[in-house]
Amino acid sequence: MIYFMFMMAFMVFFLVFKHILSSLISLEFMALAMFSMFSLSPMLLKSEMYSSFLFISIVVCEAALGLSLIILWVRKKGNDLFITF
């Protein structure tokens, strides 16, 4: 199921590339699938989950940075289409 989530987000990232926001959402969905994989493996092995918490904190910072860049881009150009690059 997690592999299916990752592959669907990967396909959306490469096939639906008209808007920057849709690309960032698919990247965040891939990160969520990877976090699920990272957090599921320590639970099965009964080990520490510190690496998964570090990963999710980096993903949250990346999402905030991407959203702020999209807001700046939309204020400058007026839309979030890849055509305007």
Side-chain angles (χ1 to χ4, degrees):
M1 182 69 179
I2 297 170
Y3 180 72
F4 179 71
M5 286 173 44
F6 184 80
M7 290 308 296
M8 289 304 293
F10 193 72
M11 286 176 36
V12 166
F13 181 70
F14 282 110
L15 295 178
V16 181
F17 51 88
K18 185 176 181 180
H19 294 278
I20 299 171
L21 187 60
S22 64
S23 298
L24 279 179
I25 289 172
S26 65
L27 282 174
E28 291 301 317
F29 196 65
M30 279 191 284
L32 178 67
M34 288 174 54
F35 174 70
S36 299
M37 285 185 269
F38 282 154
S39 64
L40 188 62
S41 63
M43 289 173 61
L44 294 174
L45 299 174
K46 295 184 177 121
S47 65
E48 300 293 329
M49 292 183 57
Y50 294 118
S51 62
S52 63
F53 290 132
L54 178 68
F55 177 76
I56 198 69
S57 64
I58 291 172
V59 167
V60 167
C61 292
E62 178 260 333
L65 180 67
L67 188 60
S68 65
L69 288 175
I70 285 180
I71 289 171
L72 288 173
W73 182 264
V74 169
R75 285 186 180 179
K76 183 179 178 185
K77 296 290 185 180
N79 59 16
D80 68 332
L81 297 174
F82 273 120
I83 297 170
T84 58
F85 278 124

